[in-house]
Amino acid sequence: MTSLEKNIIQFNKCYDFKKRNYNIIVHSPDATGKYIFIVDILKNYFHEKNIRAINQVESHPDVFYLSLPLYNKSGKMERVVNNDERLIYEFGLADKFDNFRVGTDIVIDQIRELREFTDLSPRYDHKFVIINNCNYLNHQSSAALLKTLEETNSPCILLLLASELQSIKDTIRSRCHTYQYIYENKDT
């Protein structure tokens, strides 16, 4: 059994998505598979509910994906980095994608968009928010996220991915469950 399969079993024992809301921080070092794990959790959820899933889970209308912003030359946010781009950026291999500059923080405007998303009812049972990597929340976006963590107007599961649990503000950690993604260390 792979570490991914073990984690899925353990996660499903801990969290029953029949409950209305969850705020869960999933943490492990970068490039250990926690994002793939979250995608598999959502695919399994959609499968169990007989919801037709899209190949890219982030494109599902009940899923909001949030990460570092990409800015054009005039400073307008064009989109957010995907998981592969985020890892390339974090390991210092690139600071631009599609000729757009990677922002250094998740900003308050992105949290406002997240808030608007959670204000709407889901098409199915739950909305899902993936924040990849919440270590990039700046002070203002962290403060804005607190209100969403405390109260959402729709059934919503917030999944906050983190590489360093201790760098997340205590006020956010206190409002979330934590799940340590156990990975196979290939160096040992």
Side-chain angles (χ1 to χ4, degrees), residues 47-120:
H47 178 75
E48 289 173 9
K49 298 279 187 180
N50 293 318
I51 299 170
R52 185 173 166 265
I54 301 170
N55 285 343
Q56 294 288 93
V57 169
E58 306 90 340
S59 300
H60 193 279
D62 283 340
V63 176
F64 187 88
Y65 175 80
L66 180 64
S67 192
L68 288 171
L70 285 172
Y71 295 105
N72 65 21
K73 290 180 182 175
S74 65
K76 179 181 179 266
M77 189 177 91
E78 293 290 330
R79 64 178 180 87
V80 297
V81 296
N82 64 38
N83 188 58
D84 292 335
E85 292 168 335
R86 185 189 60 78
L87 289 171
I88 290 168
Y89 171 76
E90 286 188 13
F91 287 113
L93 302 174
D95 61 357
K96 284 186 175 183
F97 298 98
D98 299 332
N99 215 22
F100 299 130
R101 176 185 55 84
V102 179
T104 56
D105 297 322
I106 293 172
V107 296
I108 193 167
D109 288 340
Q110 292 176 276
I111 302 300
R112 288 181 182 133
E113 284 181 49
L114 180 159
R115 183 79 179 166
E116 289 174 14
F117 174 80
T118 62
D119 283 344
L120 301 173

